Amino acid sequence: MAQPTSTILRIDSSGRQGKSYSRPLADRMVAGLSAQLPDATVVTRDLTANVPPVVDEAWFDAAYTPEDDRDASAKAALAASDEIVDEFLAASAIVITAPIYNFTVSAQLKLWIDQVARFGRTFTYTENGPKPLGPDRPTYLIVASGGTKIDSEIDFATGYLRHVLGFIGVNTIHVIEADQLMQQADTKIPAAEVRIDELAASFAPAGAAQKPVAAAE
């Protein structure tokens, strides 16, 4: 029987293409992971080129209808979400570019979150509270900003992403800082590149012991 193919899932959420800071860093991260997983398939979801739909009443009605009872319209309402969830669940590693816009995540990344956080597929509720259903796997957040310092009191993006990813099962999260680029791009970008190379060299698939990382988490 053929072994399942490893998948590196790349999520781009920058509104910019050629002038983006986070996209070239993601190129480097994906290349480093691909060197460790040479047989992996890279699945790229560009949230700017293909903006996820807004969740609406039809979406909620379909999502909370048992799968066997969904009619054609309900299935259509969840089609984009099903594709996004399937990609997320299948990934061996995830790379997310997350520029900070107005102190939080971009609108398109929030739309992706709304589609991937699905009751019954990536989380559920128990008598003890919410329970994640997605598998943990190495996930790399490339967080870029013009002026906001990562994990400062005005950064409403990084902590939120850690929380929502943990809510659906991802706890092995590495943050690559590319912040305050309007003032410190000459030093922050090279430092982010070094961090990426260290993380790629230490990569191990989910369930395997992670190799030591030189830089502190």
Side-chain angles (χ1 to χ4, degrees):
M1 181 180 295
Q3 294 296 313
T5 302
S6 297
T7 301
I8 299 169
L9 175 61
R10 171 175 175 167
I11 305 295
D12 279 310
S13 67
S14 173
R16 301 198 296 179
Q17 297 285 341
K19 295 182 179 180
S20 169
Y21 285 106
S22 59
R23 290 176 187 268
L25 293 174
D27 291 342
R28 192 182 189 100
M29 186 79 252
V30 170
L33 295 175
S34 296
Q36 301 291 339
L37 284 174
D39 296 327
T41 298
V42 178
V43 175
T44 300
R45 181 168 286 272
D46 188 329
L47 302 179
T48 298
N50 184 17
V51 180
V54 176
V55 296
D56 56 13
E57 188 168 8
W59 187 97
F60 281 106
D61 288 345
Y64 286 92
T65 297
E67 185 174 0
D68 292 342
D69 295 336
R70 291 174 192 152
D71 59 17
S73 62
K75 292 176 181 178
L78 291 178
S81 180
D82 284 337
E83 186 175 317
I84 285 170
V85 170
D86 288 345
E87 290 173 350
F88 168 77
L89 293 175
S92 307
I94 303 172
V95 178
I96 301 175
T97 63
I100 296 177
Y101 293 161
N102 300 315
F103 313 108
T104 189
V105 298
S106 66
Q108 52 266 42
L109 183 53
K110 178 58 168 64
L111 290 172
W112 179 84
I113 290 167
D114 289 344
Q115 295 291 346
V116 79
R118 277 270 300 278
F119 176 78
R121 293 212 62 192
T122 57
F123 75 93
T124 190
Y125 287 106
T126 71
E127 61 183 9
N128 298 316
K131 176 184 177 181
L133 297 178
D136 190 18
R137 81 303 302 267
T139 297
Y140 305 88
L141 297 180
I142 300 173
V143 185
S145 77
T148 300
K149 181 174 175 54
I150 290 175
D151 286 327
S152 69
E153 63 182 8
I154 62 171
D155 174 10
F156 299 99
T158 311
Y160 168 68
L161 288 168
R162 290 192 187 103
H163 178 80
V164 76
L165 288 168
F167 185 77
I168 58 177
V170 175
N171 295 297
T172 305
I173 297 172
H174 306 279
V175 176
I176 295 97
E177 300 182 2
D179 56 350
Q180 299 182 300
L181 297 178
M182 293 297 290
Q183 298 91 15
Q184 303 179 47
D186 289 348
T187 58
K188 290 284 188 169
I189 294 298
E193 292 173 342
V194 169
R195 174 77 170 139
I196 285 168
D197 293 346
E198 291 170 347
L199 287 169
S202 69
F203 171 79
Q210 296 290 311
K211 304 170 189 176
V213 183
E217 288 300 303

